[in-house]
Amino acid sequence: MLLCRYVSQVLVVRISGGIRLEHVLRKICDRWDNLCIGSFSLFYVLDGSDCKLDNEESFDNMLYLYPTTDRIYATVKEIKSCSGQTVGSISSGGTLGSISSGVEVGSSIGAVAVIEREEPLEEFCRHAETRYLTAGWANLIHEVGQVFTGGVRDFRASLQRYAIENGFMYDFVKNDQYRVTAKCSISSCGWRVHAILDRSNKEFRIKELVNEHGCGSTYRTNKHKRVTSSLVASEVTSLVRTKNNTSPMDLLDLFTDKYGLDLSYHHVWLGVEKARGEIFGDYESSFDKLRWYVEAAKIANPGSLLKLEVDPVSKEFSRLFVSFNACITGFNHCRPFLCLNGTHLKGRFKGCLLATTGKDADQGLFPLAFAIVNAENDCNWLWFLRILKTILSPRPISFISDRNHGLVSNIPAVFPDSHHAYCLYHLQFNLKDHFPGRFRQGYRNRLVKLFNAIAYAPSVSAYMICEAKFYEHGGDKAKTFIASVPKQHWTNAYFQGHRYGEMSSSAIESFNNWILAARLMPIMNLVEELRSKIMIQMSRRREEASRWVSQICPDMDAKLAKRIDKGRSWRVYKSKTGLYEVKSVPAVLVNLEQGTCSCGGWQYNGFLCAHAATVLVKSCGAEGSLVGYIDPFYHVEAYRLTYQDNIHPILAMDIPDFTEGSTRVIKAPKNRRQAGRSCVKRICSRGEEQSFARPMKCARCHKLSHHNRRTCKEATDD
C-alpha cells in the first residue's frame, strides 16, 4: 500500500499489478479538490533523502527498491496554486508534464531523482504547515464551459473568492444579470473572463477565459479590497445560526487563524448583522408578523393565552403577553410560588421581557408566562399581573422578586390573598451599598453573614437574638437598614406565606441566562425561540419521568437519603402519638401530626428535615411511611402530571409575505437611541462586587494593573 500524506490527512492507494503513477496522481486529485495535476509533487524517503516521483520509470524504481514492504510512505507537496491549465499526461518513461517548474515536458530522468533538502537555516526555525479554509478558492474559476448553478450571484461570489486566494484585483467591464465580463486591474495584463446566461437552459456559464496573468507573479496577501461584509456574512451564516450571540471579536481571530485574512472590526460586525438578517429576517417586518403568529399559535395550541396590543393611533407595537396551554395546566401541579423579573432585550428596537417562572417537583425551572414590553415600569407590571391572574388557579401564591417598584406596589393590589417575598440575594447587595467603601470588605462580609442569620431564623425568639447581634456589629446604620425593609417580606420568622425554602429569585435569573442568545433576535423569532426551547425541555423531561421507578423525584430522593444518613446516630424518644424528641446536638422536637420540627426545616422548606426523617425511619407502624409525610408536590406523579401536556410546533410554511412596507398593519416602535455606545453587558446592582476592578497605576513598577506597591511582585531595580 502507498500511504500519501497531505497536510494532516492520509490517502491509502492499494498497489497491485499494472498500477501506474498516473493512476496514483489521479486518485490524489480526486481526494483533494484543491489539487490538480501540475500543482503538486510526490516524494518518498530513501536512505534519509527525499526522492521525487516525476515519471513512470521513477515509480517502477520505487517498487523495485521496496519489493516486500507492506507500506510505502509518500508526501504530497503543493508547489503552486491549481489554476486549471491543461497538463500533459504521463507516458511510460516520460515525465509528468508541468508537474514541476524545474523539469521540462518530455524529458526523462531515468533513475530515482534525489531532491535537495530545505535550507539548513530553516531547520532551526520550523513552523507547522497551515491549511487555510480558503485553499479551495484557488480553483473556483478554472475552465471554459464551467456552469454556476446559483446563477450570476454564484459566479460573482466565486470570482471574488478566486481573486482573493490568487492575490489579484479585477475590474468589471460588463456586469448585469445576463452577462459578466471582468479583467485584471493591471491594464497590461491579459487575464480576462466572460460569462453569460444561456437562455435556452437558464444556465450561467463561462464563455471565454484567459487564465494567465501577464502582470507578474501574483501572491496571496492577508488583506484584499474584495473582502466585503457580504463575504463575511456568507462565511459565518452557519456559525451565527448555531450561536446567535457570536462576538465580532471572536470572528476577527477566526478569520486570521483559519482564513489568513486581516479584517477590520466594522467589516466583521456588519457581516454578522447581515448574517442575522439572512437567518432571522428583518427586524421591522417581524413586528407585523406577530398578527399572523398569534393566530397560528392559538390554532396549534388551543387554550393558550396570547394577547397582542397595538397603539390605536400610530399603529405601533405596544406589548405582547404569551403563555402556552401546556404551561398553564402544568403549573397547577407545581408548588404555588413564582419568581418575577424583567430583562432587557438587545435587538435593534430594545425593549424589555417580563417573565415569571416556578419550579417543578424535581427542582427544575418551569416557565409559566412572559411578555414583551417597551420598558419595565409600574404600568407594564400592572398589565402583566392582571393577565397573569386570569391563567392561575384560585390558590394563594407566594411571589419572589428583587423589590422592583412596579411589583412592590402592584402585587398586593392584584393578588390580595397572596404574599410577596423579597430576594435575599439582592438584599445582601443593598446592605453592602448601605455600608459604602470606607468600611472594609471583611467588615461588610461579616454583616452579610449576620443578616443571613436573621433571614433564616426559624422563630421569633431566634430572630430577636440574631437581630441583636446584627445591631451590635452594625450600629445605627444597621438599624436604619432593617427599618427600611419590612421584615414580613424577607424573614422566615415573620413571612406569612409558604415559599418552600426559596430565599432568592435565582430561578428567574437562571431563566434569563437560559434565553440569553434569543434576546438578540427580532421579536417574532424571539417568541418562537422561547416556544421551541420550552417545548423541547418539556418533551425531554416527559421522557425522563417515564423511566423513573421511585415515588419521589430523583433530586429530592437523593436529599432525603443524605438526611436519613445524617441522623443514623441520633436517639429518638416518643412522648406521645405523633410527638417525638430527637437527641441531636441540640435536641429538637418533632410533631408528625402538625408536620413541624423545632429546627424549622420541615415547615419552611416543605420537605422532611433530617430530624423528621430520622423519626420516621426509627418509629414503628404507619408512622414509618416516609412518602406519606412528603408534600405531594415532590412526588413523581406530580412531576408527570406537570409535563403530561405538550406544546405543538407552529408551521411557518403558510406565513404570508410581509416584505412590503406600505402594507404593514403593525409598525415597529419608535425607540429613541440613547447617546453613546450601546451597553451589551449587564449593569451590576448597587453593592454588587464587580468581576473586574478598575486598573490602577502601581507606585513601585509604574504599570497600569490590578495591584499596588504593597502587593507588587514585579522585578525592579530597587
Side-chain angles (χ1 to χ4, degrees):
M1 291 186 296
L2 180 65
L3 281 70
C4 304
R5 176 177 292 276
Y6 178 61
V7 190
S8 60
Q9 300 177 347
V10 176
L11 171 67
V12 179
V13 181
R14 185 180 298 274
I15 300 177
S16 58
I19 189 171
R20 311 304 298 165
L21 177 60
E22 183 178 10
H23 179 260
V24 175
L25 298 178
R26 295 298 180 190
K27 279 187 171 292
I28 293 175
C29 294
D30 294 339
R31 174 62 178 83
W32 291 289
D33 296 335
N34 62 299
L35 298 179
C36 61
I37 294 189
S39 68
F40 65 94
S41 296
L42 192 61
F43 301 89
Y44 72 97
V45 179
L46 178 63
D47 295 334
S49 301
D50 289 337
C51 301
K52 181 177 180 182
L53 296 174
D54 58 352
N55 56 24
E56 295 293 349
E57 186 175 0
S58 62
F59 184 75
D60 293 337
N61 291 335
M62 179 191 70
L63 299 180
Y64 177 80
L65 292 171
Y66 296 96
T68 60
T69 304
D70 294 336
R71 298 181 180 180
I72 303 175
Y73 295 89
T75 304
V76 180
K77 294 186 178 180
E78 191 174 7
I79 57 176
K80 63 178 180 178
S81 300
C82 185
S83 57
Q85 63 267 26
T86 305
V87 181
S89 61
I90 304 175
S91 59
S92 178
T95 59
L96 175 65
S98 302
I99 195 170
S100 174
S101 59
V103 181
E104 296 182 0
V105 177
S107 65
S108 176
I109 296 181
V112 176
V114 179
I115 305 302
E116 184 180 355
R117 283 186 172 273
E118 296 178 351
E119 295 183 10
L121 186 60
E122 296 183 1
E123 294 286 342
F124 297 94
C125 186
R126 282 191 172 274
H127 300 283
E129 188 173 356
T130 304
R131 172 73 174 175
Y132 294 114
L133 297 178
T134 59
W137 296 0
N139 198 35
L140 292 177
I141 305 292
H142 54 82
E143 63 183 358
V144 175
Q146 182 181 350
V147 178
F148 298 87
T149 56
V152 64
R153 290 188 177 182
D154 188 13
F155 172 76
R156 293 193 189 109
S158 299
L159 178 61
Q160 180 186 24
R161 288 166 170 78
Y162 176 76
I164 293 171
E165 183 61 18
N166 288 283
F168 71 94
M169 280 295 297
Y170 62 88
D171 298 324
F172 285 112
V173 179
K174 296 178 181 179
N175 186 18
D176 54 45
Q177 57 181 334
Y178 302 109
R179 56 184 178 177
V180 176
T181 304
K183 65 180 184 65
C184 183
S185 296
I186 306 299
S187 58
S188 60
C189 182
W191 184 92
R192 185 177 183 275
V193 63
H194 177 63
I196 61 171
L197 176 65
D198 191 340
R199 298 178 185 271
S200 60
N201 52 18
K202 302 301 181 181
E203 291 182 347
F204 204 86
R205 65 178 67 249
I206 296 178
K207 186 177 181 181
E208 298 177 10
L209 176 62
V210 179
N211 208 15
E212 294 183 359
H213 285 271
C215 54
S217 60
T218 57
Y219 57 91
R220 187 188 185 284
T221 60
N222 60 341
K223 292 188 177 182
H224 200 281
K225 292 183 179 180
R226 288 290 177 179
V227 180
T228 61
S229 59
S230 298
L231 185 143
V232 174
S234 63
E235 292 296 320
V236 303
T237 297
S238 59
L239 180 61
V240 174
R241 182 181 285 106
T242 305
K243 184 182 178 183
N244 183 40
N245 58 343
T246 301
S247 168
M249 292 302 298
D250 295 338
L251 293 181
L252 282 173
D253 296 334
L254 172 68
F255 274 93
T256 301
D257 298 338
K258 301 299 183 181
Y259 288 80
L261 295 172
D262 292 340
L263 307 181
S264 66
Y265 180 88
H266 175 76
H267 270 79
V268 177
W269 174 84
L270 189 56
V272 173
E273 292 299 313
K274 288 183 178 180
R276 287 176 182 159
E278 184 71 22
I279 298 170
F280 305 116
D282 180 44
Y283 276 90
E284 292 190 13
S285 62
S286 182
F287 287 94
D288 198 26
K289 293 177 183 178
L290 285 176
R291 53 190 172 99
W292 167 84
Y293 184 88
V294 167
E295 297 303 323
K298 290 180 179 178
I299 295 173
N301 298 274
S304 301
L305 179 59
L306 288 89
K307 188 171 183 180
L308 174 63
E309 291 190 2
V310 181
D311 189 283
V313 179
S314 62
K315 303 299 181 183
E316 296 177 0
F317 169 82
S318 180
R319 46 198 178 188
L320 171 68
F321 182 94
V322 179
S323 183
F324 295 100
N325 181 64
C327 300
I328 298 173
T329 58
F331 182 71
N332 294 328
H333 306 284
C334 296
R335 286 162 284 170
F337 88 90
L338 287 171
C339 296
L340 296 165
N341 198 5
T343 182
H344 293 286
L345 301 179
K346 300 180 180 181
R348 178 180 172 186
F349 292 94
K350 305 302 179 185
C352 185
L353 186 140
L354 310 180
T356 179
T357 303
K359 280 191 174 182
D360 59 30
D362 202 37
Q363 293 293 84
L365 296 181
F366 188 83
L368 174 60
F370 62 90
I372 299 174
V373 296
N374 60 346
E376 186 180 7
N377 52 37
D378 293 6
C379 178
N380 286 329
W381 270 123
L382 178 62
W383 171 82
F384 179 84
L385 293 173
R386 285 176 175 173
I387 302 178
L388 179 64
K389 186 176 183 179
T390 62
I391 64 175
L392 294 176
S393 58
R395 56 174 178 166
I397 302 291
S398 295
F399 294 97
I400 305 177
S401 74
D402 58 356
R403 280 205 305 167
N404 182 276
H405 185 269
L407 292 172
V408 172
S409 58
N410 290 320
I411 287 180
V414 180
F415 296 92
D417 297 330
S418 296
H419 304 278
H420 186 194
Y422 297 159
C423 174
L424 181 61
Y425 182 73
H426 287 83
L427 288 177
Q428 292 173 0
F429 292 129
N430 297 149
L431 175 62
K432 287 185 177 182
D433 181 62
H434 192 70
F435 289 83
R438 62 187 179 90
F439 295 92
R440 297 181 66 88
Q441 186 66 33
Y443 175 75
R444 291 192 289 177
N445 291 338
R446 173 64 177 167
L447 288 176
V448 169
K449 186 176 181 179
L450 295 173
F451 181 74
N452 287 343
I454 298 175
Y456 282 96
S459 62
V460 175
S461 58
Y463 171 87
M464 300 300 294
I465 295 173
C466 295
E467 186 182 47
K469 292 182 179 179
F470 182 69
Y471 290 161
E472 181 182 350
H473 285 77
D476 293 337
K477 288 184 70 66
K479 294 180 181 180
T480 304
F481 180 79
I482 293 294
S484 65
V485 187
K487 55 188 175 183
Q488 66 270 21
H489 290 295
W490 60 281
T491 62
N492 282 334
Y494 289 95
F495 187 71
Q496 299 299 315
H498 202 341
R499 50 183 173 181
Y500 296 89
E502 298 292 333
M503 300 294 288
S504 67
S505 57
S506 58
I508 193 65
E509 298 292 348
S510 299
F511 174 79
N512 293 340
N513 186 65
W514 188 48
I515 64 169
L516 185 63
R519 288 155 59 185
L520 286 164
M521 297 180 178
I523 184 169
M524 195 200 78
N525 300 90
L526 166 63
V527 178
E528 174 61 13
E529 178 68 11
L530 296 187
R531 182 208 61 79
S532 177
K533 291 176 75 70
I534 298 173
M535 178 190 70
I536 295 171
Q537 181 190 71
M538 296 185 74
S539 176
R540 176 174 52 82
R541 292 179 176 176
R542 189 185 308 114
E543 293 177 0
E544 291 176 353
S546 65
R547 297 189 294 268
W548 294 348
V549 294
S550 61
Q551 292 180 278
I552 307 300
C553 291
D555 282 0
M556 306 309 298
D557 200 18
K559 288 183 179 180
L560 181 61
K562 290 182 180 179
R563 294 177 182 181
I564 293 175
D565 185 70
K566 185 178 181 180
R568 289 169 58 186
S569 63
W570 295 342
R571 304 293 193 273
V572 177
Y573 300 102
K574 185 175 181 178
S575 172
K576 64 176 183 177
T577 303
L579 187 63
Y580 294 85
E581 180 184 10
V582 180
K583 287 293 185 178
S584 59
V585 181
V588 297
L589 185 67
V590 177
N591 192 323
L592 297 181
E593 294 181 351
Q594 297 179 3
T596 61
C597 178
S598 58
C599 74
W602 190 0
Q603 54 267 38
Y604 289 119
N605 295 331
F607 192 75
L608 292 176
C609 64
H611 307 103
T614 302
V615 168
L616 291 171
V617 169
K618 296 186 177 183
S619 62
C620 303
E623 295 175 345
S625 175
L626 288 172
V627 177
Y629 287 92
I630 295 177
D631 197 308
F633 288 122
Y634 295 108
H635 291 189
V636 171
E637 183 61 26
Y639 188 91
R640 290 171 177 166
L641 291 174
T642 301
Y643 296 105
Q644 65 179 348
D645 294 331
N646 59 292
I647 299 177
H648 293 276
I650 300 174
L651 299 179
M653 298 171 57
D654 300 329
I655 184 172
D657 185 14
F658 290 91
T659 56
E660 295 296 332
S662 59
T663 60
R664 287 178 184 165
V665 177
I666 303 177
K667 299 179 181 179
K670 295 180 180 178
N671 290 346
R672 181 178 178 272
R673 179 183 173 87
Q674 296 182 353
R677 184 175 180 178
S678 301
C679 181
V680 295
K681 293 184 178 180
R682 184 180 70 88
I683 300 175
C684 298
S685 303
R686 295 187 64 183
E688 184 174 356
E689 296 178 5
Q690 303 287 334
S691 300
F692 298 96
R694 179 181 176 182
M696 57 185 176
K697 188 176 181 179
C698 175
R700 179 172 176 268
C701 64
H702 306 291
K703 293 182 179 179
L704 194 65
S705 58
H706 296 279
H707 66 266
N708 55 21
R709 175 187 287 274
R710 183 175 60 84
T711 59
C712 181
K713 297 181 180 181
E714 295 289 333
T716 63
D717 297 333
D718 297 343

